[in-house]
């Protein structure tokens, strides 16, 4: 896992002002993520950063929003005008695939800046006026017409919305740089991430790997400078991965956030730094504390405590922040190693639950139940599992109907 994330020249987290690309305008073909249907300027969405709250874009629809019907009509017309008589799925896929590569070759073969052209050509020969005109020459946007995912050290990971200003985003890190993409929903984002990871590593399920994740509640802070708008920034080994919304401390110096951060697919790290920063001066740290991740990983349950903060000034009262977190380092074996366990759970989940229910603590039941449901969902037995548990509970209480469904 160390060499998987060992690209020090490429940032592991996007900058707060990084552009977000609309993933609905991209297609995955032969290990390449290709921009289709729109020009790069129309697919890029730069937003005002507002912490965990999602900012509204101006005259551009948000990343992950619905496609432009006119653009979809043009691309559909261009793809299907000469092939209306072909109806087989194979021929349709070949046509679309050929169209994608044709567009890519056209982009590479133009050889002139877009600022010098007043219109672009779509495959059916129509001329569409340029959306930005001469202003295109002033936009130094990175090119994402094609991203090659077949190289080494390609990382695909979710990005927290407080960094890029979008809820459902993921990041692709290659040796050439980093790009962020926005989706419409959490399910769409997870589907893209899974498909891209399997493109990068087709043999993923047969390899041993480490999965690192941090779950952190940032509750509140006290003894802060009164009436000052502050954020709490979360850094892993000096890299910003998330931040709270900006809120104003009360006259008594107390401030409540109550925000949960679920950071998955993390690179290897040693320390978590919580830094309080002014909203009007994001780079100015009011106070901070560094927590070893080994401390959060050692506890079997999420660790909650007040952490005293250190910073410039040295007033009479030391600011502190209350957080509750857990850091997980999960060693995932090749999937064949779990075959016997999956078979046992699938065919003997009734006996397993009957033995574990009276012996394990309540705080462990939710995590175990979630794991069982995920395993049985993958084997197609989740529905039967839930039905059997409900029937078993009815049988156990018999005529004491008042106690039915009182348990988890």
């Amino acid at each position: 896992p160390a060499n998987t994330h060992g690209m020090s020249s490429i940032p592991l987290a996007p900058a707060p002002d990084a552009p977000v690309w609309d993933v609905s305008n991209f297609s995955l073909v032969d290990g390449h993520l290709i921009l289709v249907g729109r020009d790069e300027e129309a697919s890029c969405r730069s937003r005002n950063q507002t912490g965990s709250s999602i900012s509204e874009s101006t005259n551009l629809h948000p990343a992950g929003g619905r496609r432009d019907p006119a653009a979809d009509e043009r691309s559909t017309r261009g793809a299907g005008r000469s092939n209306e008589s072909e109806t087989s799925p194979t021929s349709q896929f070949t046509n679309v695939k050929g169209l994608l590569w044709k567009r890519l070759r056209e982009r590479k073969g133009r050889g002139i800046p877009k600022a010098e052209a007043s219109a672009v050509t779509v495959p059916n020969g129509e001329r569409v006026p340029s959306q930005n005109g001469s202003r295109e020459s002033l936009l130094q946007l990175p090119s994402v017409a094609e991203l090659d995912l077949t190289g080494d050290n390609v990382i695909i990971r979710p990005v927290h919305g407080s960094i890029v200003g979008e809820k459902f985003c993921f990041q692709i890190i290659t040796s050439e740089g980093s790009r962020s993409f926005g989706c419409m929903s959490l399910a769409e984002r997870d589907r893209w991430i899974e498909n891209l990871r399997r493109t990068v590593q087709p043999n993923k399920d047969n390899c041993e790997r480490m999965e690192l994740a941090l779950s952190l509640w940032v509750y509140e802070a006290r003894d802060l400078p009164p009436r000052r708008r502050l954020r709490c920034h979360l850094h892993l080994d000096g890299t910003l991965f998330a931040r709270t919304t900006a809120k104003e401390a009360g006259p008594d110096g107390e401030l409540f956030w109550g925000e949960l951060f679920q950071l998955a697919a993390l690179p290897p790290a040693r320390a978590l730094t919580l830094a309080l920063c002014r909203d009007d001066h994001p780079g100015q740290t009011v106070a901070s504390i560094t927590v070893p991740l080994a401390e959060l990983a050692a506890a079997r349950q999420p660790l909650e405590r007040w952490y005293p903060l250190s910073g410039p000034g040295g007033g009479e009262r030391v600011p502190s922040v209350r957080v509750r977190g857990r850091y997980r380092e999960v060693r995932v074996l090749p999937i064949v190693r779990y075959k016997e366990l999956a078979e046992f759970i699938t065919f003997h989940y009734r006996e397993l639950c009957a033995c574990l229910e009276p012996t394990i603590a309540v705080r462990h039941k939710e995590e175990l139940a979630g794991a069982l449901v995920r395993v049985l969902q993958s084997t197609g037995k989740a529905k039967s599992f839930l039905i059997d548990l409900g029937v078993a509970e009815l049988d156990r209480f018999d005529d004491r109907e008042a106690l039915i469904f009182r348990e988890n």
Side-chain angles (χ1 to χ4, degrees):
N3 58 12
T4 303
H5 304 277
M7 294 181 295
S8 57
S9 60
I10 305 299
L12 293 175
D17 58 349
V20 179
W21 303 88
D22 191 346
V23 76
S24 63
N25 296 320
F26 289 81
S27 293
L28 184 60
V29 180
D30 292 345
H32 293 73
L33 195 63
I34 302 175
L35 175 64
V36 293
R38 289 177 179 266
D39 286 339
E40 295 182 20
E41 293 80 3
S43 299
C44 176
R45 302 289 177 257
S46 297
R47 289 165 178 75
N48 297 325
Q49 305 303 316
T50 58
S52 296
S53 60
I54 305 303
S55 60
E56 296 180 357
S57 53
T58 54
N59 60 338
L60 302 177
H61 75 276
R66 298 189 179 277
R67 300 187 181 187
D68 184 6
D72 285 350
E73 183 181 357
R74 288 194 300 269
S75 62
T76 304
R77 208 163 47 213
R81 177 170 291 181
S82 61
N83 301 286
E84 294 177 353
S85 60
E86 299 181 10
T87 58
S88 67
T90 304
S91 62
Q92 290 178 2
F93 175 77
T94 304
N95 293 336
V96 174
K97 182 177 176 181
L99 175 61
L100 298 182
W101 285 114
K102 179 181 178 182
R103 290 185 180 179
L104 184 59
R105 287 194 298 269
E106 288 178 355
R107 283 194 179 94
K108 290 182 177 180
R110 286 173 185 170
I112 56 174
K114 292 184 178 180
E116 299 177 7
S118 59
V120 295
T121 304
V122 291
N124 60 1
E126 296 181 0
R127 301 286 290 178
V128 182
S130 174
Q131 297 183 358
N132 293 322
S134 60
R135 178 172 161 268
E136 293 173 355
S137 60
L138 303 178
L139 297 177
Q140 300 298 326
L141 297 176
S143 175
V144 290
E146 178 189 6
L147 282 180
D148 186 2
L149 305 179
T150 59
D152 297 332
N153 295 330
V154 178
I155 302 174
I156 295 98
R157 53 178 297 272
V159 177
H160 197 267
S162 62
I163 300 297
V164 295
E166 291 291 333
K167 277 187 176 181
F168 313 112
C169 292
F170 64 91
Q171 181 187 18
I172 298 180
I173 305 175
T174 65
S175 57
E176 298 178 354
S178 170
R179 302 289 182 269
S180 298
F181 298 85
C183 303
M184 292 180 62
S185 64
L186 179 63
E188 183 184 20
R189 188 197 71 176
D190 292 345
R191 186 166 57 249
W192 268 99
I193 290 178
E194 181 64 21
N195 291 339
L196 291 172
R197 285 178 176 172
R198 293 194 178 278
T199 299
V200 172
Q201 190 178 12
N203 202 30
K204 171 187 171 184
D205 288 339
N206 298 323
C207 299
E208 182 177 332
R209 64 187 187 275
M210 289 289 293
E211 292 189 356
L212 311 176
L214 174 65
S215 175
L216 190 73
W217 275 100
V218 179
Y219 287 121
E220 58 183 324
R222 62 188 179 189
D223 299 330
L224 299 174
R227 306 188 186 282
R228 183 174 292 176
R229 289 180 62 82
L230 299 171
R231 299 178 187 267
C232 183
H233 289 204
L234 279 62
H235 297 261
L236 293 176
D237 285 357
T239 302
L240 177 64
F241 274 81
R243 56 184 179 176
T244 65
T245 53
K247 292 188 177 181
E248 183 176 310
D252 53 357
E254 294 186 355
L255 177 57
F256 181 81
W257 287 290
E259 297 184 19
L260 173 63
F261 298 90
Q262 299 277 10
L263 306 178
L266 295 174
R270 296 183 179 180
L272 165 68
T273 299
L274 304 172
L276 297 183
C277 300
R278 296 178 55 176
D279 187 35
D280 52 350
H281 296 85
Q284 182 176 348
T285 301
V286 176
S288 64
I289 180 67
T290 298
V291 182
L293 289 174
E295 179 179 326
L296 299 178
R300 295 293 299 271
Q301 292 297 313
L303 181 63
E304 179 177 343
R305 58 172 292 189
W306 284 93
Y307 288 96
L309 305 176
S310 59
E316 297 179 359
R317 299 183 302 175
V318 177
S320 57
V321 62
R322 181 168 69 97
V323 299
R324 180 173 184 261
R326 184 182 183 187
Y327 182 68
R328 294 187 178 186
E329 298 176 334
V330 180
R331 179 186 173 206
V332 183
L333 302 177
I335 195 170
V336 67
R337 302 281 293 274
Y338 298 101
K339 181 180 178 181
E340 293 184 13
L341 175 63
E343 291 179 352
F344 175 80
I345 293 176
T346 301
F347 296 105
H348 302 284
Y349 57 79
R350 298 183 187 86
E351 298 90 332
L352 179 64
C353 291
C355 294
L356 293 179
E357 194 277 331
T359 57
I360 65 176
V362 175
R363 63 179 179 271
H364 298 310
K365 289 184 178 180
E366 181 178 359
E367 185 175 359
L368 178 61
L372 287 175
V373 170
R374 285 192 293 271
V375 172
L376 293 170
Q377 181 72 27
S378 66
T379 61
K381 297 287 288 185
K383 181 178 178 180
S384 300
F385 169 66
L386 297 176
I387 292 175
D388 288 342
L389 287 187
V391 172
E393 188 170 356
L394 292 173
D395 293 341
R396 184 166 65 252
F397 285 105
D398 196 18
D399 57 345
R400 293 175 295 168
E401 293 87 353
L403 297 179
I404 290 179
F405 300 128
R406 292 286 297 273
E407 296 184 350
N408 290 326

